[in-house]
Amino acid sequence: MSCATKSDKPLPGVMCSVTNCEYHGANHECDATSIEVCTCDPIQQCSVQCKTFKPKAGR
C-alpha cells in the first residue's frame, strides 16, 4: 500500500480520470505526494492499477 498524502500542488505530468479518488484534483491532476502503479495481471501487463487510490471521504 502507498504512503502518499494529499499535497497542495499536483504531481507534474500525472493526470487522473478517477473522480472518486481522494487525490483527484482540479483539471484531472493528481494531488498525491507520490503514486505507485502496478500490473495486477501478469498475462495482461497492459492493464495497470494505481495503488495510491483512496476513496474520497463520504463515498
Side-chain angles (χ1 to χ4, degrees), residues 1-4 36 51-53:
M1 181 168 239
S2 175
C3 295
E36 182 178 352
K51 290 182 73 174
T52 307
F53 173 80

Side-chain angles (χ1 to χ4, degrees), residues 19-59:
T19 58
N20 66 330
C21 180
E22 178 70 27
Y23 306 113
H24 182 267
N27 301 315
H28 297 288
E29 295 172 316
C30 180
D31 288 340
T33 54
S34 63
I35 62 170
E36 182 178 352
V37 178
C38 71
T39 60
C40 297
D41 184 344
I43 295 172
Q44 292 183 334
Q45 291 184 3
C46 61
S47 175
V48 296
Q49 185 176 48
C50 179
K51 290 182 73 174
T52 307
F53 173 80
K54 178 181 174 185
K56 282 188 179 178
R59 290 196 180 197

